[in-house]
Amino acid sequence: MKKAIPENLRVFLSLLFLVLKLWIIIHFIYQGQTSFIYQNF
Amino acid sequence: MPMNIAYLSQHQAIFLNTWHFFIFAVLAVSLLRAFCRGIVKRLIVSVLNLYFLFYFVGDGYSFAVLLGFVVLTYGIGEIRFRWETKLPGWVPFLLTVFCWGFLILAKNPNLVSPVNVFRLYPIRIVGISYMVFRCMHYMLDAAMIEKRRMGTLLNYVVFFPTLLAGPIERYENFQAYYEQDKLLDPESVLPALHRIANGVIKKFLIADTLASLQLCRPDRSAELLWIGMFLQLAILYWDFSGYCDIVIGLSRLFRMKLCENFNKPWLARNVQEFWERWHISLTSLIRDYCFNPISVMIVRRVKPARQFPLIVLAYFFTMMLIAFWHGTTMGFFWFGLIHGTMLVLSQCTKHYILPRLGASARTKWMDGLLWVTFRRVVTYAWISPTLLLWRWGPETTWEMLQTMIGMK
């Protein structure tokens, strides 16, 4: 039988992944790699 | 610029990536999480909707026309509910034609200009196609809606997360959230934030970056045009589904679960399946209120032997409606014509060729991984060039195709 991932670990990993996504978004905005966002923000 | 996605995209960009929208969204989520029940919630939703509509969407005159249309919708709904059994059977058909007529004339003021009142008094409301379709859905289903309230209807039509580009939510779902204090998705903060982040990455980082390269322009070389043409569908998917992700995620933050608008369209094995997976809220509405009534009429009134050609025609007609919903230029006309023809061919293959193959051959060949992958690639490749028509119209598209195959 498969062992389920503990709830706390699941939430922690999810938060970590969310922070990574936010870092990617902010990184792109400040680097101006998407000129569109760069101009609008 | 041709309607609707390119036009929409411009406006979405204005709205969704400004600090103003960001602050508005944070305020909306905070208020609706704090006051998620009763009259206070309804009041907050109403104020947010009105603010969003006035500030981001249209002018006073356009808003008055929209309000008039909603009042008319409510009135028609009341008549249909009270006297449904006494009304003639063609009333739903008449209402459908009325909504389509209003939409097409409002979106294209120069169409039948001598009689088109919108030529003199044009209305400028982003997302009008979505609002008119919500009204049409209410008018046609009003006979079955028990609790009908003017305020609920108005808030349903102009509900701010879905105002600009859908998804086109059904009235019952909105009513459950707005009136019945039903928490549709109570445990959803983290998934909702993921959904919003995914949407921002898809729309602003991937789609806009690729679109800014402008690979698919008439002055590009043949090689770039080929790459650009095949990228178009992917860009449109990332753009539109990214927008939907942001909207669905935002709605989940204040505990409302909106319907999904995409279901992995790249897995479609033919054009019919593509439209079942792409912009689902629109295609399901057109299927329910246009295709299904026509099909039922054909089945009831025509002999079985003659039904198939008429059903195929109904597919074609539905596809033309989907094209005209997006825009009324010649580009959209040709888009509908080509997709309609592909739908007809797909139905003819199902009706005439597949039954002759036999069950074992169908299982062996049609459902095999290699064949399925081939069909998916071909479907994607067939649909990609038709998107050029949206942006560039038939003449320029033809010139671009000539450049691509070295005829120019």
Side-chain angles (χ1 to χ4, degrees):
Chain A
M1 206 171 132
K2 265 175 132 182
K3 247 188 172 178
I5 302 171
E7 182 63 17
N8 288 348
L9 181 64
R10 201 180 61 78
V11 172
F12 173 75
L13 288 174
S14 182
L15 271 172
L16 200 68
F17 200 43
L18 184 65
V19 169
L20 179 70
K21 285 179 190 173
L22 290 176
W23 180 83
I24 291 169
I25 293 166
I26 292 165
H27 175 78
F28 267 80
I29 289 169
Y30 281 99
Q31 291 293 311
Q33 292 194 14
T34 51
S35 56
F36 208 75
I37 282 194
Y38 188 65
Q39 284 162 14
N40 282 281
F41 268 86
Chain B
M1 184 177 281
M3 294 286 276
N4 183 342
I5 290 297
Y7 173 76
L8 203 62
S9 197
Q10 244 183 13
H11 285 271
Q12 281 171 18
I14 293 165
F15 298 128
L16 295 185
N17 62 349
T18 56
W19 285 114
H20 194 154
F21 180 80
F22 180 74
I23 293 164
F24 175 80
V26 170
L27 190 72
V29 169
S30 311
L31 284 171
L32 288 170
R33 284 195 78 82
F35 305 99
C36 58
R37 286 173 198 279
I39 193 163
V40 182
K41 180 188 76 176
R42 275 176 252 168
L43 197 68
I44 292 168
V45 172
S46 305
V47 170
L48 289 170
N49 283 343
L50 287 175
Y51 176 80
F52 190 85
L53 197 69
F54 268 123
Y55 192 85
F56 290 95
V57 179
D59 53 273
Y61 161 71
S62 304
F63 180 68
V65 174
L66 177 70
L67 193 66
F69 196 80
V70 174
V71 171
L72 184 70
T73 302
Y74 180 73
I76 290 170
E78 286 304 297
I79 292 169
R80 289 209 66 204
F81 185 81
R82 284 161 206 254
W83 295 292
E84 175 61 10
T85 49
K86 293 174 185 169
L87 291 172
W90 45 261
V91 168
F93 172 75
L94 192 72
L95 292 173
T96 312
V97 172
F98 167 69
C99 289
W100 276 99
F102 179 86
L103 180 62
I104 288 172
L105 293 177
K107 278 177 78 167
N108 196 352
N110 293 324
L111 199 74
V112 285
S113 52
V115 290
N116 190 346
V117 70
F118 297 111
R119 189 173 66 92
L120 295 172
Y121 306 102
I123 50 173
R124 296 183 188 85
I125 306 177
V126 181
I128 189 169
S129 314
Y130 295 90
M131 293 181 216
V132 172
F133 256 51
R134 283 183 203 116
C135 288
M136 185 176 88
H137 158 58
Y138 182 86
M139 283 182 201
L140 295 172
D141 275 9
M144 292 177 284
I145 297 171
E146 285 295 324
K147 289 181 182 173
R148 301 163 316 285
R149 290 199 180 97
M150 181 66 204
T152 311
L153 176 64
L154 182 63
N155 279 299
Y156 162 68
V157 174
V158 299
F159 189 45
F160 70 90
T162 58
L163 189 64
L164 307 177
I168 308 169
E169 197 60 40
R170 301 287 172 133
Y171 181 80
E172 296 82 354
N173 193 23
F174 176 79
Q175 194 185 31
Y177 168 75
Y178 183 73
E179 278 186 3
Q180 297 168 8
D181 297 330
K182 191 177 165 187
L183 302 180
L184 294 170
D185 203 7
E187 303 294 332
S188 60
V189 175
L190 212 50
L193 290 174
H194 271 287
R195 193 79 192 256
I196 294 172
N198 290 348
V200 171
I201 290 171
K202 275 156 86 174
K203 167 140 183 65
F204 295 116
L205 302 193
I206 301 174
D208 285 346
T209 308
L210 288 172
S212 69
L213 298 176
Q214 298 195 16
L215 296 173
C216 210
R217 252 179 23 197
D219 57 346
R220 297 292 193 193
S221 66
E223 294 80 10
L224 283 181
L225 277 178
W226 276 106
I227 298 168
M229 186 188 77
F230 285 119
L231 264 179
Q232 277 221 17
L233 186 55
I235 293 173
L236 191 61
Y237 169 74
W238 283 316
D239 187 287
F240 196 10
S241 74
Y243 169 83
C244 287
D245 284 343
I246 297 171
V247 166
I248 291 170
L250 187 66
S251 302
R252 279 196 183 180
L253 280 181
F254 46 78
R255 300 183 168 114
M256 180 172 188
K257 194 170 185 179
L258 295 176
C259 61
E260 294 295 332
N261 226 6
F262 292 91
N263 178 23
K264 300 172 185 165
W266 60 87
L267 294 180
R269 289 164 292 181
N270 53 49
V271 177
Q272 187 180 348
E273 198 184 340
F274 175 80
W275 284 106
E276 285 164 5
R277 291 170 175 273
W278 181 277
H279 205 166
I280 299 165
S281 64
L282 169 72
T283 49
S284 66
L285 217 61
I286 293 185
R287 185 195 61 214
D288 290 353
Y289 297 127
C290 300
F291 178 75
N292 285 353
I294 296 172
S295 305
V296 168
M297 196 176 70
I298 292 168
V299 170
R300 279 184 187 163
R301 298 190 179 187
V302 179
K303 288 177 185 173
R306 292 181 186 169
Q307 281 174 7
F308 179 71
L310 292 173
I311 297 260
V312 165
L313 268 180
Y315 271 106
F316 185 83
F317 175 69
T318 309
M319 197 58 242
M320 290 305 288
L321 286 180
I322 290 176
F324 283 132
W325 183 88
H326 286 89
T328 48
T329 60
M330 280 308 283
F332 285 103
F333 171 78
W334 280 98
F335 177 85
L337 208 67
I338 295 168
H339 277 246
T341 309
M342 289 198 278
L343 265 183
V344 169
L345 289 176
S346 169
Q347 287 303 312
C348 289
T349 311
K350 270 187 197 169
H351 191 76
Y352 295 116
I353 299 174
L354 291 187
R356 295 181 188 193
L357 283 178
S360 60
R362 276 208 302 273
T363 315
K364 193 176 175 184
W365 294 105
M366 302 305 289
D367 300 332
L369 181 66
L370 199 66
W371 183 242
V372 167
T373 310
F374 174 73
R375 288 170 71 197
R376 282 174 181 155
V377 172
V378 168
T379 303
Y380 185 94
W382 265 110
I383 292 168
S384 296
T386 61
L387 291 178
L388 294 176
L389 290 161
W390 286 24
R391 177 85 192 271
W392 301 106
E395 289 87 11
T396 314
T397 299
W398 177 236
E399 283 172 19
M400 287 160 85
L401 290 174
Q402 281 179 314
T403 309
M404 286 163 68
I405 55 174
M407 281 172 63
K408 207 177 158 195

